[in-house]
Amino acid sequence: MLQAKRQRRPRPTHAEDKRRAAAVAAHRREHGDWCPGWRRDPHEASDLTADHVDAVAAGGAESGDLQVLCRSCNSAKGAR
C-alpha cells in the first residue's frame, strides 16, 4: 500500500526540498525546536518538517505557503 501511495505522489524537486529546509531553519531560529501544534497545544519537538498550508493533494499550489509542524502533527494533518 505504501508503495502505491508513493507512485501517486511525485517526489518534491530539489528546489522544493531547499525551500522546505529554509522554512524549518527560519522557524528554528525564531522559535527553537517547538511545534505550534495541529489540533493540539504547542510542544517541544526536534523532528520539525515543512509542508504546504494548502495541501497539493487537495488542490493547493506547489509553490504555496509552507507551515512548520513536527512530523507527528504533519502526519495527523494529512491532506486537510
Side-chain angles (χ1 to χ4, degrees):
M1 180 160 161
L2 181 59
Q3 185 177 10
K5 184 176 180 180
R6 286 189 179 150
Q7 288 174 347
R8 288 189 307 249
R9 182 178 49 182
R11 175 80 180 106
T13 63
H14 178 67
E16 180 65 10
D17 284 343
K18 287 178 69 174
R19 187 170 82 103
R20 291 179 189 205
V24 170
H27 177 88
R28 278 200 167 108
R29 279 191 302 274
E30 189 170 333
H31 306 287
D33 281 341
W34 281 90
C35 173
W38 188 79
R39 295 193 175 173
R40 64 187 270 200
D41 291 336
H43 53 277
E44 191 171 0
S46 61
D47 61 342
L48 298 173
T49 63
D51 203 3
H52 294 92
V53 173
D54 297 318
V56 174
E62 185 69 35
S63 61
D65 292 338
L66 298 175
Q67 68 185 52
V68 176
L69 297 169
C70 70
R71 194 165 307 279
S72 175
C73 285
N74 194 6
S75 293
K77 179 181 151 250
R80 295 183 188 137

